[in-house]
Amino acid sequence: MRIFDPHIHMTSRTTDDYERMHAAGVRAVVEPSFWLGQPRTSVGSFCDYFDALLGWEPFRARQFGIQHFATIGLNPKEANDERCRAVLAELPRYLDKDRVVAVGELGYDSMTPEEDEVFAHQLGLAVEHGLPALVHTPHRDKLTGTRRTLDVVRESGLASGRVLVDHLNEVTVGVVADSGCWMGFSIYPDTKMDPYRMVAILKEHGTERMVVNSAADWGRSDPLLTVRTAEAMLASGFDDDDVDRVLWRNPVEFYGQSGRLELDEDASDAETFEGNSVLRGSKDA
Ligand SMILES: [Zn+2]
């Protein structure tokens, strides 16, 4: 089993996580830039963070046999903070960098006029730079927020096949499926989606344009929930090829549209995954 986690905030995880992820089959990750919990007060804080996502973190991941890519953007929450706006002028130089495979995460938090403006502006940057976009959907008033997100995407001129709409659930998956955008699901330990609900969605909507992530960050989260979802898929009758499609080939196809997703040959080498069963067996020990 090979796993590509298309949305995980490794900056807030430890080397133990990298070790466990590699042992379980995770070979590549995309780390979207987002907010840090503590509000930023200046543009310099963004630039240092982006530099870390493109320099230090790929180096750290590499020590554990994992390839690391990033998405760069002004997150929806901080789009509302006057002090952070000037980072928009810094984005073009980051969007030209090799390991940047999309603009993101963008979208809505509280659906303010400021968020509207920053979201549309950054979708324009995606068009200009030939990059796909990773779009976050709000946690409150989710269906309204998702519909409004899809309207803004349509108006942007960015092709729906180059947009991944993330943090979906049973309520929002349908409208995104109809839009032609890619569908992302964040699997969490005790809120939002869990592996079994995810399997039910895959049974109903199929595996096309579907991606699954752990969205692990500094909050309660688990970087192995991608693997747990793969196991739940197998247990419910999906085969190895279905699992490989959702947990590897789909995210590779989506971010591959950047032209920058250069994966090592041995990333797909199943020979190196023998630690997997041992890890599974000991997870409750
Ligand atoms: Zn995120």
Side-chain angles (χ1 to χ4, degrees):
M1 192 190 293
R2 54 181 180 171
I3 304 282
F4 187 123
D5 194 330
H7 186 150
I8 184 165
H9 301 287
M10 291 311 299
T11 301
S12 38
R13 309 300 306 194
T14 65
T15 51
D16 286 3
D17 290 323
Y18 271 127
E19 242 164 34
R20 290 161 61 231
M21 287 161 67
H22 185 270
V26 180
R27 289 295 178 273
V29 298
V30 169
E31 176 154 6
S33 58
F34 81 143
W35 65 298
L36 297 177
Q38 182 70 31
R40 294 177 178 92
T41 57
S42 72
V43 173
S45 303
F46 280 92
C47 295
D48 292 339
Y49 171 65
F50 295 158
D51 288 336
L53 290 186
L54 299 171
W56 174 245
E57 203 57 43
F59 171 77
R60 208 164 75 96
R62 178 62 80 183
Q63 314 301 304
F64 299 90
I66 295 176
Q67 284 186 274
H68 180 286
F69 302 89
T71 79
I72 295 290
L74 172 56
N75 64 84
K77 206 178 180 74
E78 286 176 309
N80 293 302
D81 189 332
E82 198 58 43
R83 295 171 298 184
C84 300
R85 288 296 200 89
V87 76
L88 293 175
E90 303 294 329
L91 293 180
R93 71 183 168 97
Y94 283 102
L95 297 179
D96 283 340
K97 293 189 188 277
D98 281 348
R99 307 196 75 82
V100 177
V101 292
V103 183
E105 41 190 306
L106 316 174
Y108 287 117
D109 180 52
S110 311
M111 294 192 272
T112 62
E114 287 78 11
E115 290 171 30
D116 274 327
E117 192 187 317
V118 169
F119 183 21
H121 175 80
Q122 293 187 98
L123 288 173
L125 288 177
V127 173
E128 248 171 70
H129 290 262
L131 288 171
L134 173 64
V135 178
H136 161 104
T137 49
H139 301 302
R140 300 171 299 266
D141 207 0
K142 218 170 171 60
L143 186 57
T144 310
T146 304
R147 287 210 171 101
R148 190 154 150 191
T149 297
L150 294 171
D151 288 341
V152 178
V153 166
R154 262 187 296 271
E155 285 160 20
S156 73
L158 189 60
S160 56
R162 295 175 75 82
V163 177
L164 169 50
V165 184
D166 215 336
H167 311 313
L168 300 180
N169 61 21
E170 292 85 351
V171 178
T172 51
V173 60
V175 287
V176 182
D178 293 343
S179 74
C181 293
W182 289 69
M183 292 155 274
F185 298 85
S186 301
I187 315 299
Y188 289 95
D190 51 13
T191 55
K192 302 179 202 167
M193 296 299 300
D194 68 33
Y196 304 97
R197 285 169 60 191
M198 188 62 229
V199 167
I201 286 180
L202 290 168
K203 291 236 162 177
E204 190 180 340
H205 294 272
T207 56
E208 202 183 320
R209 286 184 284 123
M210 292 282 192
V211 304
V212 170
N213 62 69
S214 70
D217 57 21
W218 30 250
R220 188 163 145 70
S221 49
D222 178 352
L224 296 186
L225 284 176
T226 47
V227 182
R228 301 285 97 86
T229 302
E231 291 164 354
M233 283 178 73
L234 292 172
S236 76
F238 284 103
D239 64 19
D240 289 338
D241 189 67
D242 297 323
V243 168
D244 191 65
R245 177 167 192 178
V246 174
L247 277 307
W248 186 271
R249 298 198 307 271
N250 279 355
V252 167
E253 186 184 336
F254 177 74
Y255 288 116
Q257 297 181 93
S258 66
R260 295 177 185 162
L261 193 72
E262 282 177 27
L263 292 166
D264 294 344
E265 293 277 315
D266 65 1
S268 54
D269 185 358
E271 299 294 302
T272 57
F273 298 162
E274 70 272 2
N276 202 1
S277 53
V278 176
L279 190 92
R280 277 189 222 167
S282 65
K283 80 179 160 68
D284 300 318

